């Protein structure tokens, strides 16, 4: 693995695009692209900035020399971010299911509160994971999380907005068909939002 490969590997481990890395160290995206394709090499100042940003030594960037292990005995490795993404997604799905079941049974505001509460908890779990997990696993976990949750998280709030505009109970966690036009509009907006974000995620993943 040469320096170009090491820069690309470290960038992808952080879940960053070339443009995002460029912004972090104050260069253009084209500069990062040239570094990773071996057209040019970063100067010493940029190597130092990258070593600080990626938390590696300059020797590793320049020569691939790994630092000697000096971790205190018994120190634990950081957890995989994918675990947090899976737990958060499960909480979001549980939130939708709980809201629908409570509303179907009682038709009270407790339905929306139950769903939103579990979704907030799921977002908190995901946020914690992106903070404490191993940086090498964050990019993959981030893409997996949003590829699924872009279809889960907007459903409840969009349903509540639809129901309020349609003159239906605003705390219902799914769209109530007051009129076919409004009902079809809800699904058009929901599908357009999910499809657009999924396409952006796909294009971003191809550029990395």
């Amino acid at each position: 693995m040469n320096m170009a490969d090491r820069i690309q590997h470290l960038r992808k481990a952080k879940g960053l695009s070339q443009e995002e890395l460029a912004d972090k160290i104050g260069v253009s995206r084209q500069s990062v692209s040239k570094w990773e394709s071996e057209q040019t090499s970063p100067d010493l100042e940029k190597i130092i900035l990258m070593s600080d940003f990626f938390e590696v030594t300059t020797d590793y960037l320049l020569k691939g020399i790994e630092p000697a292990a000096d971790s205190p005995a018994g120190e634990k490795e950081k957890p995989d971010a994918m675990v947090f993404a899976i737990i958060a997604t499960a909480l979001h799905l549980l939130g939708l299911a709980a809201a629908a079941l409570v509303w179907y049974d009682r038709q009270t505001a407790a339905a929306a509160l139950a769903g939103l509460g579990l979704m907030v908890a799921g977002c908190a779990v995901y946020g914690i994971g992106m903070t404490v997990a191993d940086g090498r696993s964050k990019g993959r976990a981030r893409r997996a999380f949003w590829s699924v949750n872009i279809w889960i998280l907007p459903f409840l709030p969009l349903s509540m907005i639809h129901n309020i505009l349609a003159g239906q109970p605003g705390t219902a966690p799914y769209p109530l068909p007051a009129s076919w036009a409004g009902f079809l509009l809800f699904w058009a907006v929901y599908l357009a939002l999910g499809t657009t974000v999924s396409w952006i995620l796909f294009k971003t993943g191809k550029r990395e």
Side-chain angles (χ1 to χ4, degrees):
M1 182 184 291
N2 55 30
M3 183 165 63
D5 294 331
R6 286 190 289 275
I7 293 172
Q8 185 179 72
H9 170 74
L10 290 167
R11 174 179 63 79
K12 290 186 174 182
K14 283 261 188 187
L16 299 174
S17 65
Q18 290 182 343
E19 185 172 1
E20 289 170 331
L21 175 58
D23 288 340
K24 296 289 185 183
I25 58 176
V27 298
S28 66
R29 187 198 66 78
Q30 289 78 8
S31 293
V32 175
S33 177
K34 288 180 179 179
W35 296 344
E36 294 185 357
S37 60
E38 297 186 84
Q39 296 179 46
T40 61
S41 297
D43 59 32
L44 183 58
E45 178 188 358
K46 300 308 178 186
I47 289 172
I48 293 172
L49 285 174
M50 283 191 288
S51 72
D52 290 339
F53 177 71
F54 290 126
E55 298 179 339
V56 297
T57 64
T58 54
D59 276 348
Y60 174 76
L61 280 173
L62 290 167
K63 304 176 184 178
I65 300 173
E66 297 279 1
D70 56 0
S71 301
E75 183 178 341
K76 295 182 179 179
E77 293 184 0
K78 291 185 177 180
D80 191 324
M82 186 63 75
V83 174
F84 293 90
I86 292 171
I87 293 173
T89 301
L91 286 171
H92 295 160
L93 287 170
L94 183 60
L96 273 185
L101 290 172
V102 172
W103 178 262
Y104 183 79
D105 184 49
R106 302 182 184 179
Q107 297 190 353
T108 65
L113 291 174
L116 289 173
L118 285 167
M119 288 182 176
V120 168
C123 288
V125 169
Y126 174 72
I128 292 170
M130 291 298 102
T131 301
V132 305
D134 188 336
R136 294 170 295 181
S137 64
K138 289 181 182 179
R140 180 171 59 95
R142 186 182 296 111
R143 289 188 292 273
F145 176 84
W146 286 113
S147 65
V148 175
N149 284 275
I150 189 55
W151 297 100
I152 302 174
L153 290 174
F155 187 82
L156 197 155
L158 284 178
S159 297
M160 296 172 69
I161 292 170
H162 165 271
N163 292 331
I164 291 171
L165 294 176
Q168 297 293 321
T171 52
Y174 46 80
L176 301 175
S179 69
W180 280 109
F183 189 66
L184 291 175
L185 179 61
F186 163 84
W187 285 107
V189 171
Y190 172 72
L191 292 173
L193 175 64
T195 302
T196 300
V197 175
S198 296
W199 181 81
I200 292 171
L201 288 171
F202 173 74
K203 296 295 288 184
T204 301
K206 284 186 68 176
R207 286 200 302 269
E208 293 180 358

